[in-house]
Amino acid sequence: MAILQLNQQNITQLENKIAVPKYDRTKIKTGIVHIGVGGFHRAHQAYYIHQLLEKFNAYNWGICGLGLREADRKMYDALKKQDGLYTLSIQHPNGTIENEVIGSIKEMILAVDTPDLALKKMVDIHTKIVSLTITEGGYNFDSETGNFIFDNEAIQHDLIHPEKPKTVFGYVTQALRLRKTVGSNPFSILSCDNIPHNGNVARQMFLAFAQKQDSELANWIEKEVSFPNTMVDRITPVTHESDKAYLQTELQLNDEWPVICEPFIQWVVEDNFCNGRPQLEKVGVQFVPDVLPYEKMKISLLNAGHSVLGITGAIHGHKTINECMNDSVFSNFMSRFMSQEATPILDPVEGIDLEQYKSSIEERFANPNIKDSVSRICSESSAKLPKFLIPTIEANLKTGGSIDFGTFILAAWCYYSDKGFNEQNEPLEIIDIEKDNLHKAAKATQENPLVFISQRSIFGSLNENTRFVKKYTEFVRLIYAEKNIKKLMNAMI
Ligand code: CS2
């Protein structure tokens, strides 16, 4: 049977094989410009908007995907070819797969090719929200000081050339400037990254940039633009060739870049939008006055739990998170980390039973059909760990709580960054913008055990805490001497 290319024209031929959008896509107007379209955005926010279109004809809230970097070209090309359509394959633990074509991404813009078009779309009066998944590192702040990093070429360029921006800070600020000039309302800036207080952090960073460029504009942004805090959740592994091949053989469908995800989905949002918002509560999004306890809970348990499994699992030679969960030493170690170190630092969260929440994380991680690679989890650890794990260690140092599990992970991360091979002698796939610096610092550990944790932009002042330094040094010594991470973990649980 002939293989059909996924695109708008073929939609009617596809509807016998797979769920396709029932709404009239020609009626969709862009209300949201999303910067950073990747797997997660397409499994999460775009899926919620798709449901809103499907059930409530929310035609004013379509999405325009905006890529600012050359690295976004591949996604741009794939979605452009498919008129913004893509397949979401929801993988249940029992093997059931729900495939659905998602239609909420109405248009795509690649700013490196068409910068004027990108600005025009952000300035368009119908655009009410600019949302972001620019990764934990994308907010451009120093973990030690919390300040915006000005000392970088692209930022320097954008400060001097407001009309020819390159970075997210330059684009958003210029778009707001143009909106102010023509007297239209600003858009809300909606951060969907895993950073505690993501809205507040975004606000602080965009204001710092704008202040340096144009203080009058910065004052206007401060007064008029809202930056809701949000907690986002859905595990979305990297798409593999086999996922594409599955759609080709099972559904005779060619999709350049489908998305795989788990059934679980959650979005908790602060109801603080300066220019309107979609009625997402109709499709299960929770609007709450204070998102911070939810964010802290999710980041300290789920994201940190992922890093705990990912780093140790990678060293041992496990390839995926579910493989780690099948190994009781790893799953028990994570569970001990969660109960002994992360739970005590959390505030009560309304409507959530923490014990149940932790069990659900364990079940989700064990989903055998998600196959989330440890390399995705370990990627960009230099940006993730200062948000996911280090605050928990710091909080426990303040209260005198346990720091063993968290500290072990930092020592293991040093070993991981140093060796570049797992204990089965296979090369590790290390993806980190700081990869070379991490490797250099970790290499020096044999002579001076504190070099790695003296990278202050990652570890802050942890290297000045005697209790932490003692534990860390002991673990580094053990991990390097034993060369058997599992044995050491087993002794701790
Ligand atoms: C993961 C997250 O990047 C990571 O290390 O912990 O991508 C995680 O899968 C999502 O935040 C789940 O919502």
Side-chain angles (χ1 to χ4, degrees):
M1 209 194 247
I3 293 191
L4 268 186
Q5 172 59 41
L6 177 57
N7 60 32
Q8 188 61 40
Q9 202 194 332
N10 290 341
I11 275 284
T12 36
Q13 290 181 69
L14 286 167
E15 68 194 352
N16 298 330
K17 309 172 182 223
I18 182 168
V20 297
K22 291 197 271 301
Y23 43 92
D24 177 357
R25 292 187 79 229
T26 61
K27 289 193 182 153
I28 304 178
K29 286 206 195 95
T30 289
I32 302 171
V33 170
H34 183 80
I35 302 178
V37 174
F40 179 74
H41 169 73
R42 295 191 295 151
H44 192 261
Q45 184 180 336
Y47 176 70
Y48 277 117
I49 297 289
H50 168 75
Q51 286 184 304
L52 214 49
L53 281 159
E54 198 83 328
K55 295 181 189 150
F56 302 99
N57 293 331
Y59 285 118
N60 287 334
W61 291 106
I63 298 170
C64 169
L66 174 58
L68 301 182
R69 307 159 312 151
E70 189 51 43
D72 296 313
R73 187 176 296 280
K74 199 172 154 221
M75 182 64 78
Y76 171 81
D77 286 344
L79 289 185
K80 197 76 187 163
K81 176 171 171 190
Q82 298 179 174
D83 304 307
L85 297 166
Y86 61 93
T87 314
L88 186 67
S89 293
I90 303 176
Q91 307 273 348
H92 291 262
N94 67 3
T96 310
I97 305 174
E98 288 173 78
N99 296 306
E100 185 167 1
V101 173
I102 307 299
S104 52
I105 300 187
K106 164 82 177 177
E107 46 188 336
M108 287 294 288
I109 296 177
L110 187 62
V112 275
D113 285 355
T114 51
D116 293 342
L117 190 61
L119 280 170
K120 192 163 165 235
K121 191 40 71 180
M122 293 168 91
V123 176
D124 188 324
I125 193 156
H126 290 110
T127 299
K128 313 253 183 223
I129 295 174
V130 170
S131 54
L132 312 170
T133 43
I134 54 175
T135 78
E136 290 77 26
Y139 291 80
N140 201 42
F141 69 96
D142 185 305
S143 291
E144 184 188 7
T145 60
N147 293 338
F148 189 78
I149 304 169
F150 285 103
D151 172 21
N152 121 14
E153 218 175 287
I155 295 289
Q156 283 301 325
H157 169 276
D158 280 12
L159 281 174
I160 307 165
H161 303 288
E163 71 301 338
K164 292 251 169 291
K166 287 182 176 167
T167 71
V168 63
F169 299 98
Y171 267 102
V172 167
T173 308
Q174 178 65 359
L176 287 170
R177 174 181 290 111
L178 295 171
R179 287 178 85 114
K180 177 172 179 275
T181 311
V182 297
S184 55
N185 291 333
F187 42 71
S188 302
I189 299 179
L190 182 64
S191 164
C192 299
D193 287 291
N194 291 308
I195 297 186
H197 321 176
N198 55 6
N200 301 354
V201 169
R203 182 170 198 271
Q204 206 190 327
M205 298 305 126
F206 280 98
L207 282 178
F209 177 86
Q211 191 69 45
K212 207 38 148 229
Q213 206 183 47
D214 174 347
S215 62
E216 201 192 314
L217 177 67
N219 294 341
W220 183 76
I221 297 176
E222 186 164 20
K223 239 178 57 218
E224 305 291 337
V225 178
S226 51
F227 296 80
N229 286 300
T230 66
M231 180 266 245
V232 293
D233 197 3
R234 186 170 231 185
I235 295 174
T236 312
V238 174
T239 306
H240 296 288
E241 279 305 315
S242 56
D243 302 318
K244 277 174 72 173
Y246 157 85
L247 292 175
Q248 285 174 349
T249 41
E250 293 300 312
L251 302 176
Q252 291 76 49
L253 170 67
N254 188 58
D255 184 334
E256 295 297 328
W257 205 332
V259 188
I260 310 302
C261 69
E262 62 169 344
F264 182 93
I265 186 164
Q266 190 176 21
W267 198 5
V268 188
V269 188
E270 225 165 63
D271 201 353
N272 169 26
F273 289 78
C274 59
N275 196 358
R277 63 161 174 86
Q279 289 183 302
L280 287 160
E281 64 276 23
K282 289 185 170 168
V283 288
V285 174
Q286 287 164 264
F287 283 91
V288 300
D290 183 10
V291 176
L292 301 189
Y294 295 88
E295 285 188 303
K296 193 171 165 193
M297 169 186 79
K298 190 254 168 170
I299 293 172
S300 321
L301 292 169
L302 185 143
N303 295 112
H306 253 161
S307 299
V308 166
L309 292 178
I311 292 172
T312 53
I315 296 175
H316 176 70
H318 287 318
K319 300 290 182 297
T320 59
I321 291 297
N322 57 298
E323 220 179 297
C324 297
M325 290 301 288
N326 273 337
D327 185 331
S328 61
V329 171
F330 288 80
S331 59
N332 286 333
F333 188 92
M334 182 191 71
S335 163
R336 287 289 299 281
F337 160 77
M338 291 204 292
S339 59
Q340 204 164 305
E341 297 181 4
T343 309
I345 63 133
L346 298 178
D347 310 311
V349 194
E350 207 186 300
I352 300 220
D353 173 337
L354 276 181
E355 292 313 308
Q356 248 170 37
Y357 185 75
K358 283 184 272 186
S359 310
S360 85
I361 292 177
E362 287 168 357
E363 269 167 43
R364 292 167 60 196
F365 283 4
N367 184 336
N369 303 313
I370 286 297
K371 301 187 180 63
D372 201 4
S373 60
V374 292
S375 67
R376 179 185 86 86
I377 297 302
C378 298
S379 69
E380 307 305 338
S381 283
S382 63
K384 289 176 182 174
L385 296 180
K387 281 111 195 162
F388 299 173
L389 180 64
I390 294 172
T392 299
I393 300 177
E394 286 168 343
N396 280 314
L397 283 170
K398 277 209 186 95
T399 58
S402 159
I403 58 163
D404 290 13
F405 293 94
T407 307
F408 186 87
I409 296 306
L410 297 186
W413 184 37
C414 172
Y415 183 81
Y416 165 99
S417 308
D418 180 358
K419 295 296 168 196
F421 279 83
N422 67 22
E423 288 171 354
Q424 324 296 324
N425 236 353
E426 297 159 328
L428 288 166
E429 190 195 5
I430 301 183
I431 306 160
D432 201 306
I433 193 167
E434 293 295 328
K435 183 178 171 182
D436 294 339
N437 291 334
L438 292 167
H439 177 69
K440 225 166 103 199
K443 260 260 126 359
T445 291
Q446 300 284 29
E447 286 98 66
N448 173 356
L450 300 189
V451 179
F452 191 68
I453 52 160
S454 300
Q455 303 175 93
R456 293 183 77 97
S457 64
I458 299 174
F459 297 93
S461 55
L462 272 183
N463 65 342
E464 287 168 12
N465 185 294
T466 344
R467 182 171 162 226
F468 171 78
V469 165
K470 189 161 171 265
K471 259 276 108 82
Y472 175 82
T473 317
E474 183 187 320
F475 283 140
V476 163
R477 194 185 49 75
L478 277 173
I479 295 172
Y480 274 82
E482 280 289 344
K483 299 189 173 50
N484 186 341
I485 197 111
K486 186 169 166 177
K487 184 172 159 206
L488 294 171
M489 290 163 78
N490 199 20
M492 287 171 71
I493 53 179

